[in-house]
């Protein structure tokens, strides 16, 4: 079997899909994207396709080595994301060839269902309690929220108090039997993060995500030592080597993104590495249906998996949503806050190719906002 064609599709709201076709008619799908830089990743996929066309799609690990390392310069979000989407599609093909789900090819399932959480925003707290109540009624046992919107370089007492107020309101709705995770997006700075973590300890968050920016990883050991709150990070880390300092720093939850951190192949290795540190895996995934399908395959096969992010109802999805480009929505039906395991081959989904091709004709040019402080200086988004 040989790879005959690799195509990419820019589809709303902000996604990039990859389709790999073989001479035997087996097709695999992946989701290679850097949000806000999808066109750049698309070009990277085109370059990598020069090597892949004409080769055996089942040599997944060999292809991963060549695509990741064969160009001499390695790593970074663009290359790692391009490799990630291709890797997902190759695993999808392998599963279809062998008639097995990807989690079976990774050694078999370790669980029958995967806990997922819902996103409830948090930048603007007015409707926060209402949004959380709606997710509880929908059966979710965990939600994630932003700690705050734009934040001063050194958080003011009012900003810190506002975080506590929002988290407390969510905890009141959830009660002690459900979980809230908090995303700080590196907006608070090291000193502000310490203050906020101390202030919310009693509210028992499941984890606090990105209290520091990824380039401040050298400060993680002191932060994890200063709090009992579980620290999570990883959406802006792109491989095992990037994760090792965070793991040794004492984080509790690793959050590689299946569309950024080298795909199924590398995230499976990151999960095993994290397990040696007693760290749980919670893949980052505010993206589309293919990225989520790949994440779920990892979750079913990873002993130290904790919980899965998913984008249904997330505020980015204005022109399309998680179900817009799939034929069968059953894999995305959540029962009591869980996704159930199936034995469908490959990634376990059927992409609606007609819908993808139609949407790609208009495409998108999504860019993340650029925030500024009151004095006009750059602010972390």
């Amino acid at each position: 079997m040989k790879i005959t064609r690799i195509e990419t599709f820019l589809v709303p709201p902000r996604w990039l899909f990859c389709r790999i076709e073989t001479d035997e008619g087996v097709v695999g799908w992946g989701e290679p994207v850097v949000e806000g830089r999808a066109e750049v990743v698309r070009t990277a996929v085109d370059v990598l396709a020069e090597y892949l066309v004409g080769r055996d799609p089942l040599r997944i690990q060999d292809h991963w080595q060549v695509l990741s390392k064969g160009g001499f310069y390695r790593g970074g979000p663009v290359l790692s994301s391009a490799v990630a989407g291709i890797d997902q599609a190759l695993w999808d093909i392998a599963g279809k060839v062998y008639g097995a789900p990807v989690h079976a090819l990774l050694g078999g399932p370790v669980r029958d269902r995967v806990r997922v959480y819902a996103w409830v925003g948090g930048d603007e707290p007015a409707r926060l309690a209402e949004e959380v109540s709606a997710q509880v009624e929908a059966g979710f046992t965990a939600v994630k929220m932003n700690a705050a919107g734009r934040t001063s370089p050194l958080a003011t007492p009012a900003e810190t108090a506002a975080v506590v107020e929002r988290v407390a309101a969510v905890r009141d709705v959830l009660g002690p039997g459900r979980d809230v995770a908090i995303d700080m997006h590196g907006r608070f700075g090291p000193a502000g993060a310490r203050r906020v973590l101390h202030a919310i300890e009693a509210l028992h968050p499941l984890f606090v995500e990105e209290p520091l920016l990824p380039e401040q990883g050298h400060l993680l050991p002191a932060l994890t030592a200063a709090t009992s709150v579980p620290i999570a990070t990883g959406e802006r880390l792109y491989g095992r080597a990037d994760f090792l300092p965070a793991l040794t720093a004492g984080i509790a939850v690793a959050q590689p993104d299946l569309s950024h951190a080298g795909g199924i192949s590398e995230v499976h290795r990151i999960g095993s590495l994290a397990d040696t540190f007693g760290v749980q895996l919670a893949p980052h995934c505010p993206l589309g249906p293919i990225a989520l399908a790949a994440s779920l395959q990892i979750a079913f096969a990873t002993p130290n998996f904790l919980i899965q992010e998913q984008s249904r109802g997330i505020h980015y999805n204005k022109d399309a949503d998680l179900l817009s480009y799939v034929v069968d929505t059953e894999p995305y039906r959540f029962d009591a806050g869980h996704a159930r395991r199936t034995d469908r081959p490959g990634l376990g989904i059927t992409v609606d190719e007609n819908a993808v091709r139609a949407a790609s004709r208009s495409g998108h040019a999504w860019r993340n906002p650029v925030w500024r402080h009151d004095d006009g200086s750059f602010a972390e988004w």
Side-chain angles (χ1 to χ4, degrees):
M1 181 165 44
K2 304 296 183 186
I3 295 171
T4 56
R5 183 166 58 158
I6 299 178
E7 299 175 273
T8 53
F9 305 92
L10 282 167
V11 296
R14 56 178 190 156
W15 303 331
L16 179 68
F17 294 166
C18 173
R19 179 185 183 274
I20 299 183
E21 183 178 331
T22 70
D23 60 354
E24 295 187 12
V26 183
V27 171
W29 289 86
E31 194 168 333
V33 68
V34 173
E35 302 92 299
R37 301 290 185 270
E39 303 93 331
V40 182
V41 180
R42 183 181 212 176
T43 299
V45 172
D46 289 342
V47 172
L48 298 177
E50 296 173 6
Y51 171 81
L52 286 171
V53 171
R55 299 184 186 274
D56 180 358
L58 300 181
R59 297 191 61 179
I60 300 173
Q61 296 301 337
D62 185 63
H63 294 329
W64 192 95
Q65 297 294 321
V66 173
L67 298 181
S68 297
K69 304 175 182 179
F72 184 70
Y73 297 100
R74 341 181 156 190
V78 172
L79 176 61
S80 296
S81 298
V83 172
I86 290 170
D87 184 80
Q88 293 171 18
L90 294 178
W91 278 103
D92 194 26
I93 289 171
K96 291 170 180 175
V97 169
Y98 296 125
V102 169
H103 66 256
L105 304 183
L106 295 174
V110 296
R111 56 182 51 82
D112 296 322
R113 60 180 193 158
V114 165
R115 191 185 185 201
V116 299
Y117 63 79
W119 178 261
V120 293
D123 287 7
E124 301 296 334
R127 297 183 55 205
L128 192 52
E130 179 183 336
E131 292 174 1
V132 175
S133 296
Q135 299 298 350
V136 170
E137 290 175 11
F140 289 97
T141 62
V143 298
K144 189 172 81 175
M145 58 180 286
N146 277 330
R150 185 186 61 183
T151 304
S152 303
L154 196 59
T156 66
E159 288 170 331
T160 302
V163 176
V164 177
E165 181 182 358
R166 284 192 288 268
V167 178
V170 172
R171 174 56 70 199
D172 284 344
V173 176
L174 294 174
R178 299 182 184 90
D179 286 307
V180 55
I182 302 162
D183 193 348
M184 293 179 72
H185 268 273
R187 294 171 181 169
F188 285 79
R194 285 195 298 272
R195 283 177 171 170
V196 171
L197 289 169
H198 176 72
I200 62 174
E201 272 187 326
L203 295 169
H204 208 285
L206 178 65
F207 57 76
V208 169
E209 178 176 333
E210 276 201 323
L212 299 177
L213 293 167
E215 58 266 33
Q216 296 170 337
H218 58 289
L219 302 177
L220 266 174
L223 189 68
T224 59
T227 182
S228 67
V229 175
I231 301 302
T233 196
E235 71 184 75
R236 290 186 271 186
L237 303 177
Y238 309 114
R240 286 161 287 162
D242 292 342
F243 272 90
L244 186 57
L247 295 171
T248 60
I251 66 168
V253 182
Q255 297 177 295
D257 190 306
L258 269 289
S259 285
H260 301 327
I264 291 169
S265 295
E266 184 70 349
V267 172
H268 189 239
R269 292 187 281 259
I270 291 168
S272 295
L273 178 62
D275 199 24
T276 67
F277 289 86
V279 172
Q280 299 295 296
L281 194 74
H284 178 258
C285 189
L287 293 170
I290 304 171
L292 179 57
S295 299
L296 291 174
Q297 296 297 325
I298 285 286
F300 288 125
T302 302
N304 56 317
F305 168 82
L306 177 65
I307 197 168
Q308 179 60 55
E309 181 173 23
Q310 52 85 29
S311 67
R312 187 181 296 178
I314 201 168
H315 54 289
Y316 302 118
N317 299 351
K318 294 179 180 178
D319 301 317
D321 65 21
L322 191 63
L323 307 181
S324 296
Y325 303 111
V326 292
V327 173
D328 184 2
T329 62
E330 181 65 19
Y332 307 100
R333 184 168 63 86
F334 305 131
D335 294 323
H338 290 76
R340 295 201 170 272
R341 179 172 58 84
T342 74
D343 292 323
R344 301 178 185 205
L347 296 180
I349 61 171
T350 302
V351 173
D352 187 339
E353 186 172 329
N354 291 333
V356 170
R357 291 187 182 277
S360 71
R361 286 194 283 270
S362 57
H364 70 82
W366 188 87
R367 302 289 184 263
N368 62 262
V370 175
W371 284 357
R372 295 192 178 275
H373 294 298
D374 291 338
D375 65 359
S377 63
F378 175 81
E380 291 290 341
W381 174 65

